[in-house]
Amino acid sequence: MQRLYDFIRRHPTGVDSFWAVVLFGFSLLWVGSTYPAIDTPVAYGVVAALFSLVVALRRRMPERMLVLAVGLGLAQLAFGLVPFMADFAMLVIIYTVAAHDGPRWASRLALAGGVSAATLSQLRWPLSETESPAARVFFTVIMTVPFVLAWVLGDSLRTRRAYFAQLEERASRLEKEREAQAKVAVAAERARIARELHDVVAHNVSVMVVQADGAAYVMDSSPETAKQALETIAGTGRQALAEMRRLLGILRTGEHEEAGEYVPQPDVQQIEDLVEQVRGAGLAVDFKIEGTPRPLPSGVELTAYRIVQEALTNSRKHGGPDVGASVRLVYFDDGLGLLVEDDGRGAPQEMYEDGGADGRGHGLIGMRERVGMVGGTLDAGPRAGGGFRISALLPLKPAH
């Protein structure tokens, strides 16, 4: 049955042509058996052939076949050709036009023709005079009902098709929107991971380079100092590997279930360890906490840690020799304040004017993006009297 149904769907005109031939044959038999003494058999044959053509081409050109059917009906009225089996094509074309998503005038014409067909037929060929007017009206209404039902069924099918088409279009649009949102989410995640990688690599590698240079310089004169420098390099490398492993664990989520084994994200409490690490790398840092420390949202803690990390990295990179820095964490009632300053030469003015892109990195840009993600504000630029100053205010939300 499924194959037969698929064949019918693939060859609609062929199927309609088959039924047109059947209608034409039965129409001729009807005329021969019902009206054996008919005077115009050729006229009835021509009308039956044209009505069969209406059925055969109803889906290929529904509007034209409707006009042809209306013309044939009027011709029957004009020439006195009594209704016969070929007129069944009128029901078919009315249903087809109502179900077709075509011009509305065709559907209205089909409805008007269907409603008036029985009435015009009754006026042209009335019942016997012995029938009462009520019986004539009842007969006319009964003959009108099939035409109206054909139009209602066709219009309902058209409405249902339009509804399903709208649902499919909406589903397709929602699918495209989901794909677009997924792409935006992927891009945002990549940008976040890129910022994390920048902070990890820029800070830890710069510490390792400074320590390696110092170890090479004092290797012969002070082996103990060189040993301490190598130990610092090893500790910094292990920390960098731990954070890199955490970032890779984010990328691997879904492939391995052991993602929970990676180290947690840095928080405000680890800023003191970060400062000690930077001091060990040779940068004098004054660190103070003002206000009462309290639990913070994880996003705020990570942002604060990365800002301090990036700021101290920039101080080492751009501050010059004998640079000193200071870090202040201030707990306000509604926010966490960060102030990182150094007294060195500061970053190039061009880097500040370009928003943080110096051709080698995007540290300040990353800071601004991080602060913007938590709804805070950032002020970065040259410091009065020399050096560089970074000030940030991160809003505090109730910790869950």
Side-chain angles (χ1 to χ4, degrees), residues 226-236 238:
K227 181 180 179 181
Q228 293 178 0
L230 292 176
E231 291 177 352
T232 301
I233 292 173
T236 304
R238 281 190 292 270

Side-chain angles (χ1 to χ4, degrees), residues 29 41 50 59 61-62 75 96 108 137 187 205 227 234 243 250 254 259 334 377:
L29 293 175
L50 293 177
R59 280 189 273 198
M61 44 186 72
T96 303
R108 296 189 183 100
V137 172
V205 173
K227 181 180 179 181
E243 294 203 31
I250 296 175
D334 58 351
T377 58

Side-chain angles (χ1 to χ4, degrees), residues 64-139:
R64 295 181 183 180
M65 292 301 101
L66 174 65
V67 173
L68 177 59
V70 171
L72 290 174
L74 295 176
Q76 282 185 267
L77 293 173
F79 294 101
L81 301 178
V82 295
F84 64 113
M85 193 169 184
D87 291 311
F88 182 79
M90 290 186 178
L91 288 173
V92 177
I93 193 61
I94 288 175
Y95 166 80
T96 303
V97 171
H100 179 64
D101 190 15
R104 299 306 299 165
W105 67 263
S107 179
R108 296 189 183 100
L109 177 60
L111 178 60
V115 171
S116 61
T119 302
L120 294 175
S121 176
Q122 180 62 27
L123 292 175
R124 182 68 173 81
W125 299 284
L127 296 175
S128 62
E129 297 181 357
T130 59
E131 297 291 342
S132 65
R136 295 179 182 180
V137 172
F138 178 76
F139 179 78

Side-chain angles (χ1 to χ4, degrees), residues 253-294:
T253 299
E255 297 180 7
H256 301 284
E257 298 297 331
E258 67 272 11
E261 298 177 0
Y262 298 121
V263 297
Q265 292 182 335
D267 54 25
V268 173
Q269 295 180 356
Q270 296 184 29
I271 293 180
E272 187 172 359
D273 297 334
L274 173 66
V275 170
E276 290 297 329
Q277 183 187 45
V278 173
R279 286 171 178 168
L283 176 63
V285 181
D286 180 27
F287 177 63
K288 289 183 179 180
I289 298 178
E290 300 178 7
T292 304
R294 55 186 177 277

Side-chain angles (χ1 to χ4, degrees), residues 141-218:
V141 172
I142 291 299
M143 295 304 295
T144 303
V145 169
F147 293 95
V148 175
L149 286 179
W151 185 89
V152 170
L153 289 175
D155 189 71
S156 299
L157 180 61
R158 179 192 61 81
T159 303
R160 186 176 181 182
R161 286 175 179 171
Y163 175 71
F164 282 123
Q166 184 179 9
L167 289 181
E168 291 178 357
E169 189 274 336
R170 183 181 302 174
S172 177
R173 185 174 66 251
L174 291 176
E175 183 67 24
K176 292 180 180 178
E177 291 178 357
R178 281 195 295 268
E179 292 178 357
Q181 292 174 356
K183 291 180 180 179
V184 171
V186 169
E189 184 66 11
R190 288 179 177 176
R192 187 186 71 82
I193 293 175
R195 288 194 299 268
E196 292 284 319
L197 287 173
H198 172 273
D199 294 339
V200 171
V201 173
H203 172 74
N204 291 290
V205 173
S206 62
V207 171
M208 294 168 67
V209 170
V210 171
Q211 292 294 324
D213 289 341
Y217 182 76
V218 300

